[in-house]
Amino acid sequence: MTRLADDAAAIAFPDDAIAAACLLAVAPNALRGLRLRARNSPQRDAYLALLKSVLTASGWHRLPPSTSLDHVQGGLDLAVTLAQGRPVVARGLIARAAGGVVVVPMAERLSPALAGCLSDALDAGDPIIVIAIDEGIDDERMPDGLADRLALHVDLDMASGSDAGSQPDAARTTVEIEGLHRDIAAARNMMANAPAAADVTAESIAALSLSLDVRSLRAVSAALMAARVAAALDDCDTPDEAHIACALRLVLLPRARHIPQSTEAPAPPPPPETPAETPTETPNAPQQLDDVILAAALARLPPDLLARLASDARSRADATSGARGGKQEARARHGRPAGTRTGDPTRGDRLDLVATLRTAAPWQSLRKRAPGGPVVLQRSDFRVKRLVRPTGVTTIFLVDASGSSALHRLAEVKGAVELLLAECYVRRDHVALIAFRGKKAELLLPPTRALARAKSALAALPGGGGTPLASALMQAETVSADVRRRGNRADIVVLTDGRANIDRNGRPGRAAAEADAHLAAKSLRARGVGSLVIDTSARPDPASNKLASALGATYLALPYADARTLSSAIKTAGAAR
């Protein structure tokens, strides 16, 4: 047995990961690439070494997400052109990588422009293989257009997260490089003379894609090719159930928008059959074959992978229905001018010519500039315009729906929050809604711009129960941290009477509840979150004033106010902040 490397001798790979490497090695021009979901680890390094061993490529090239578009496409080399006084054109990475492999680390941070450049190269038939390494967390993911063009998907994070000993279906094997090379060479020879796939294979894959709600014809074509290559690796002329199931796991399931229910539960016994009914079931045989293949593929996957696939499908649906792509690039390329900085105009930044010449002017004598000749520039002289984009604002409403508040002001609070939601919608701000009653707080509405969703969530808010103020503040801290991590500003508006009586663990007790609430408030204040406390009790309550002091917030006591007065007061306080 030949190992990949001495430091990877103890690493075993899932069978599907090895199969994906072999499929790509046999048909790189048809499958075009692989999406590798893996964090930085020895297993990922060993798998990249495996790919490098089996792929017959002329060279390997890295494409970090910060690479400029001119570096990828090619174009005028500005610094060399200015130095030599004649146009000098530099070859792009795609032209240099012809016949080789392009590795894209941190593909989830790839800009839409770079992703589109790679997608155009793959559509044009350029002889490159793309290995996109997706290290995203939560809702971070690589651009959908590029992911759709890479046929295969391997998830090493999920494979390493499950114990091979406790997951008998997630088989793991070590790698015999010499054996893989023999199988790949034999499969290439067979594929060169193999006939087209049988119609039953194409029909089965099309039926499976429909059941999984896969909406890309590229995926169906890639799955058919993957099944043919898998059959060739097993020295078979036509794909069977195992080969179609392999293509299903590596191509179709990662793109699924609908995950069928698990078939592990025992099915109810079928009704007794009569001899006359038996012939009528034969036309349904292809559908039964598809069900068998789908059940076999789902059985090979860990249960938590199905949950991740369903979550990814929901996030893709949310992205296509609401948010636009390319927000990170828009933040860096648009905004209000705010001075200059050192930069590279070939990366898409705006060149500040005056500042560049002013920086280079004191050095002309040392650079031996000829009298009357051109200005001698170096890369360090370039100055680009620094742009500042207005920070997005997310207003997090904490609404007290406990029994004490419901007796007095819950109706007015609902009306005030609804008016504020409308104001936020006009300003294109995001809003979030946290209600607290009973034993804990509940995030009724994550940060969104959908006014209808916010109104419906607010209208359905019931009243009554205890006042878990500490739980609400902790929930607000979590939401605000996520908002700030995205580069936006979070403001908190707390509408309460301040009389907490449920601690952070859901136990009653006024003293412990107030202590927990003040600790959570001080934690929010330490994070620099702007806040506003609206005392909604029938008369000003010292508890709300103490809460505002712990938060470092503006305190408004409005014992006699309707919804419109509350809304106006909150807007005035927000403008002052």
Side-chain angles (χ1 to χ4, degrees):
M1 178 180 294
T2 303
R3 299 283 185 170
L4 295 176
D6 294 338
D7 57 351
I11 295 180
F13 298 106
D15 285 345
D16 284 345
I18 301 175
C22 294
L23 293 178
L24 187 60
V26 174
N29 294 331
L31 301 178
R32 305 319 307 264
L34 181 145
R35 177 187 176 189
L36 177 61
R37 185 172 179 85
R39 308 286 176 84
N40 189 11
S41 64
Q43 187 183 33
R44 189 184 80 177
D45 296 338
Y47 188 70
L48 291 175
L50 169 64
L51 291 173
K52 195 169 186 177
S53 175
V54 299
L55 294 176
T56 55
S58 60
W60 284 59
H61 307 266
R62 288 178 62 85
L63 177 60
S66 59
T67 306
S68 66
L69 194 61
D70 289 341
H71 181 71
V72 177
Q73 291 180 326
L76 191 68
D77 192 326
L78 184 58
V80 178
T81 298
L82 293 175
Q84 297 186 5
R86 60 181 180 85
V88 177
V89 179
R91 296 179 64 202
L93 183 142
I94 293 178
R96 300 195 307 270
V101 178
V102 177
V103 180
V104 185
M106 296 184 292
E108 75 281 357
R109 300 184 182 181
L110 202 63
S111 67
L114 287 180
C117 184
L118 284 176
S119 300
D120 290 343
L122 294 175
D123 290 341
D126 290 350
I128 60 173
I129 303 172
V130 177
I131 307 294
I133 303 176
D134 188 351
E135 305 177 24
I137 58 176
D138 297 332
D139 59 345
E140 294 180 337
R141 65 185 186 278
M142 62 182 294
D144 294 335
L146 179 59
D148 186 40
R149 287 163 173 81
L150 306 181
L152 305 173
H153 176 92
V154 173
D155 195 332
L156 290 183
D157 285 345
M158 186 62 67
S160 61
S162 58
D163 184 9
S166 63
Q167 296 283 348
D169 293 331
R172 293 166 174 263
T173 59
T174 52
V175 181
E176 294 182 0
I177 297 298
E178 295 178 358
L180 290 183
H181 286 171
R182 290 193 299 268
D183 294 341
I184 291 171
R188 285 173 181 162
N189 294 332
M190 179 174 290
M191 287 293 296
N193 302 318
D199 291 339
V200 64
T201 303
E203 291 177 1
S204 298
I205 291 178
L208 290 171
S209 65
L210 288 176
S211 65
L212 295 172
D213 195 16
V214 176
R215 304 179 184 180
S216 172
L217 293 178
R218 291 190 185 93
V220 178
S221 177
L224 181 59
M225 175 58 66
R228 292 182 58 196
V229 176
L233 286 169
D234 284 345
D235 198 16
C236 297
D237 294 332
T238 57
D240 58 15
E241 295 180 15
H243 305 138
I244 298 176
C246 178
L248 173 65
R249 294 192 302 272
L250 293 176
V251 181
L252 294 181
L253 270 178
R255 295 168 167 83
R257 294 175 178 267
H258 168 70
I259 304 299
Q261 296 295 326
S262 175
T263 57
E264 295 179 359
E273 299 179 355
T274 60
E277 294 177 351
T278 304
T280 61
E281 295 184 359
T282 51
N284 295 333
Q287 182 65 30
Q288 294 177 359
L289 176 62
D290 300 335
D291 294 339
V292 169
I293 294 174
L294 182 58
L298 294 177
R300 285 286 303 274
L301 299 176
D304 45 359
L305 179 57
L306 294 179
R308 174 183 287 188
L309 292 175
S311 176
D312 290 345
R314 287 192 297 269
S315 65
R316 285 196 299 268
D318 293 341
T320 55
S321 62
R324 296 181 179 179
K327 291 184 179 179
Q328 292 181 355
E329 185 186 34
R331 293 173 185 173
R333 302 292 184 262
H334 299 83
R336 175 175 55 83
T340 61
R341 60 178 177 85
T342 304
D344 186 354
T346 62
R347 294 182 180 272
D349 297 321
R350 300 179 187 177
L351 177 67
D352 192 325
L353 182 59
V354 175
T356 300
L357 294 176
R358 185 183 294 116
T359 304
W363 304 97
Q364 295 306 300
S365 59
L366 295 178
R367 296 173 185 174
K368 300 180 180 180
R369 173 177 176 261
V375 177
V376 181
L377 295 177
Q378 295 183 356
R379 291 185 182 275
S380 59
D381 298 330
F382 289 129
R383 295 295 183 270
V384 297
K385 294 182 179 180
R386 185 168 64 89
L387 304 177
V388 177
R389 185 185 65 87
T391 304
V393 179
T394 298
T395 305
I396 307 171
F397 293 98
L398 277 65
V399 179
D400 186 352
S402 62
S404 58
S405 180
L407 289 174
H408 300 102
R409 307 294 296 281
L410 185 56
E412 287 84 355
V413 166
K414 284 185 177 182
V417 172
E418 186 169 336
L419 292 174
L420 290 168
L421 291 174
E423 292 288 338
C424 292
Y425 179 78
V426 172
R427 296 194 305 266
R428 306 306 295 166
D429 290 344
H430 287 77
V431 295
L433 181 60
I434 298 174
F436 53 101
R437 60 184 292 271
K439 293 185 178 181
K440 63 178 182 179
E442 181 181 1
L443 179 62
L444 295 182
L445 188 69
T448 182
R449 289 177 176 172
L451 183 60
R453 288 181 57 196
K455 287 185 176 180
S456 61
L458 189 65
L461 175 61
T467 309
L469 183 56
S471 176
L473 294 174
M474 294 168 61
Q475 183 77 267
E477 183 176 359
T478 301
V479 176
S480 64
D482 183 66
V483 170
R484 290 158 65 90
R485 187 166 54 248
R486 298 173 185 272
N488 296 328
R489 193 187 82 208
D491 289 339
I492 296 176
V493 178
V494 187
L495 298 102
T496 180
D497 56 11
R499 293 193 289 268
N501 53 22
I502 302 294
D503 65 8
R504 59 185 299 176
N505 297 318
R507 295 189 297 263
R510 188 173 299 276
E514 290 181 354
D516 288 347
H518 286 178
L519 285 176
K522 291 177 180 178
S523 178
L524 273 170
R525 182 177 184 177
R527 291 181 177 271
V529 180
S531 52
L532 172 66
V533 174
I534 305 295
D535 189 351
T536 59
S537 56
R539 59 179 57 89
D541 196 313
S544 296
N545 202 348
K546 292 179 181 179
L547 175 65
S549 299
L551 279 170
T554 303
Y555 172 74
L556 291 179
L558 299 175
Y560 305 103
D562 56 6
R564 192 166 299 278
T565 306
L566 280 171
S567 172
S568 177
I570 294 173
K571 286 189 293 183
T572 302
R577 294 200 307 276

